[in-house]
Amino acid sequence: MFFKLPWFKKAKDAHYSDTQVLELDFLVDEFHEAMADIQDPQRTRLHAALISCQSPKDLWFLRGKLFNLISKHHCEYVANERVGRLDQKLRFFVGHHPDHSPEDLPSGPMALLH
């Protein structure tokens, strides 16, 4: 009798679409954080390119431009750290998202080399 009350129902399992981590904006935000302290016209162009990205593969091809921008204004060490964080999130995203797989990326993330 008590088990038919609504609060005794089994809790719904969390779905991937319910979490912010598995949205592409999660990765785009990491791009913005990586270049937040840089004021350069190239940053504006990179921001415009980020807006049109629709898959992790699109973001993957912008990593090189992000690395060059960061290393131009800081140093390669800082660029490696920031792009490494991006790679970790990108690897997590394609590994856990139901619509994407690690094979979507052209090669393995560079985070493994850092």
Side-chain angles (χ1 to χ4, degrees):
M1 175 178 207
F2 289 108
F3 297 106
K4 292 185 179 184
L5 297 174
W7 51 86
F8 283 110
K9 286 185 180 179
K10 190 175 183 180
K12 286 182 13 179
D13 293 333
H15 296 289
Y16 289 122
S17 61
D18 294 339
T19 62
Q20 183 226 354
V21 173
L22 294 173
E23 294 179 14
L24 200 59
D25 291 340
F26 172 71
L27 298 173
V28 172
D29 289 344
E30 184 62 35
F31 265 91
H32 289 296
E33 287 176 27
M35 60 181 177
D37 61 343
I38 298 172
Q39 297 299 321
D40 190 291
Q42 188 178 0
R43 177 182 181 227
T44 307
R45 290 191 295 272
L46 191 56
H47 175 72
L50 284 170
I51 292 171
S52 65
C53 287
Q54 297 188 4
S55 72
K57 190 174 183 179
D58 297 338
L59 293 174
W60 179 263
F61 290 118
L62 293 177
R63 289 173 60 259
K65 292 181 181 186
L66 178 66
F67 181 87
N68 290 337
L69 178 67
I70 296 169
S71 61
K72 176 182 169 185
H73 289 276
H74 295 290
C75 64
E76 277 190 39
Y77 178 77
V78 173
N80 278 328
E81 280 186 337
R82 294 182 185 186
V83 173
R85 267 196 320 264
L86 175 67
D87 286 345
Q88 288 175 343
K89 289 185 178 183
L90 190 60
R91 185 176 60 225
F92 178 84
F93 181 84
V94 298
H96 290 85
H97 198 281
D99 297 334
H100 303 288
S101 69
E103 290 81 30
D104 291 344
L105 300 178
S107 63
M110 296 296 289
L112 299 175
L113 300 176
H114 298 296

